[in-house]
Amino acid sequence: MSDVGFIGVGNIGNPMCANVIKGGHRVVVNDLVEEQAANLIELGATWADSPAEVAAQTEVTLLSLPGPPEVSSVLRGVDGLLEGAEPGMVCFDLSTNLPSTVKLLAERAAEQGVTFLDSPVSNGVQGAIDATLAVMVGGDKAAFEKYKPVLECIGNNVFHMGDSGMGALTKIVNNMVSISSIQVVIEALVIAEAAGLEAERAYEVMSVASAQHYVHNVPTLLERNFDDASFFLKWAAKDVSLAVQVARESGIPSPIASASSDTLNRAKNRGHGMKSVMATLLSAEEDAGVSH
């Protein structure tokens, strides 16, 4: 069993960390909010006051953070991971990050003898609770193989995707599909209602017609319970914006991702950022003059 660090024990990080502890590993945790680690301490984890302290006590550390700026800060900032790390340490970044940022961070970490692998996860909070996440890893293959048993504590589908940045890229295109596809469904239902066809009736046909493979989320959508969110709209907006940024960095047109990004940001800017990703329905209805 390994000495494992875990930094970022919020919505999805907490159950992932709990499953690493349950896997028999000695775990050292850190978060900006110490209270978020209370249940993990009860399970046997040790608290550290900074990422540097986590690094000083562990051979491998997992990060679960909101995005690229937070990952950079935790890794390279004051009292950051690299300040406490010894050569040979391995870091898996479970966050959704930008491939170009990942490559830069991996280069900086390597200068200090630390191996940094992008290792984002998919399947949401429930997947984290059930340890059924998909884990997409980019970077050093030997480090991946050595610590794959740690990753298997959090997910039952663990993939090595290639060089540094390939895990992050896989996650970004996956989320582009999952997030953007529901925006098309929402737009279709709003068009139907604005033109006089009830959304429920439209779905009744869609569920058995050629759209059936794309509308499985509609029953949840029609419940309109947007405040009970495990994946916030603001996170979805960030993820799709990363897809647009990757496309721009590569000189590739991204009209659909860009439209989805605009849709998500419009809803976020109207105050729906902390609601479910499906809350783009509210701004779409507002734009169409459809009321509920």
Side-chain angles (χ1 to χ4, degrees):
M1 294 300 169
S2 303
D3 290 338
V4 180
F6 207 108
I7 300 174
V9 291
N11 227 27
I12 192 167
N14 193 291
M16 285 195 288
C17 185
N19 283 325
V20 174
I21 297 168
K22 292 170 185 176
H25 301 281
R26 188 183 77 83
V27 177
V28 181
V29 299
N30 171 261
D31 193 276
L32 288 175
V33 183
E34 185 172 352
E35 290 76 15
Q36 291 192 151
N39 66 309
L40 303 171
I41 303 301
E42 289 180 3
L43 287 173
T46 302
W47 173 259
D49 288 328
S50 69
E53 286 190 20
V54 171
Q57 300 177 60
T58 59
E59 61 187 272
V60 57
T61 290
L62 312 182
L63 310 181
S64 180
L65 302 165
E70 292 82 6
V71 175
S72 297
S73 177
V74 163
L75 194 72
R76 302 177 61 193
V78 176
D79 288 329
L81 202 70
L82 293 181
E83 284 196 6
E86 295 291 334
M89 181 184 176
V90 175
C91 178
F92 290 91
D93 177 21
L94 309 177
S95 319
T96 303
N97 210 331
L98 191 66
S100 56
T101 299
V102 164
K103 292 174 185 177
L104 176 63
L105 293 176
E107 290 171 3
R108 296 294 179 268
E111 292 171 0
Q112 294 183 222
V114 174
T115 302
F116 181 87
L117 300 96
D118 46 304
S119 315
V121 300
S122 183
N123 283 337
V125 172
Q126 193 59 51
I129 293 169
D130 297 336
T132 56
L133 294 169
V135 188
M136 302 150 260
V137 183
D140 187 84
K141 184 70 178 292
F144 167 79
E145 292 293 351
K146 181 176 181 179
Y147 292 108
K148 187 178 179 183
V150 176
L151 300 177
E152 288 175 336
C153 291
I154 67 174
N156 59 354
N157 289 290
V158 180
F159 303 91
H160 187 263
M161 300 306 300
D163 293 340
S164 180
M166 290 299 101
L169 181 59
T170 305
K171 172 64 182 290
I172 286 170
V173 296
N174 173 81
N175 277 26
M176 174 184 160
V177 171
S178 64
I179 294 167
S180 298
S181 60
I182 190 61
Q183 305 312 316
V184 174
V185 173
I186 286 170
E187 188 168 310
L189 294 177
V190 171
I191 289 171
E193 290 223 316
L197 174 62
E198 291 183 358
E200 289 82 358
R201 292 288 289 159
Y203 169 66
E204 184 180 358
V205 174
M206 287 180 180
S207 66
V208 295
S210 58
Q212 62 185 285
H213 299 298
Y214 311 100
V215 295
H216 61 279
N217 284 325
V218 169
T220 302
L221 175 69
L222 295 179
E223 290 175 1
R224 306 179 69 87
N225 188 17
F226 303 122
D227 292 321
D228 184 18
S230 59
F231 185 67
F232 298 127
L233 189 149
K234 69 174 186 176
W235 294 346
K238 180 262 297 180
D239 286 1
V240 178
S241 73
L242 291 177
V244 174
Q245 188 167 345
V246 169
R248 286 175 180 165
E249 290 177 357
S250 305
I252 299 169
S254 57
I256 294 173
S258 296
S260 177
S261 181
D262 289 344
T263 297
L264 290 157
N265 282 321
R266 184 165 61 251
K268 183 183 73 172
N269 293 338
R270 290 180 182 178
H272 305 311
M274 296 302 292
K275 292 183 170 64
S276 158
V277 63
M278 295 184 184
T280 52
L281 176 66
L282 300 174
S283 57
E285 288 175 338
E286 182 180 343
D287 291 338
V290 173
S291 60
H292 273 267

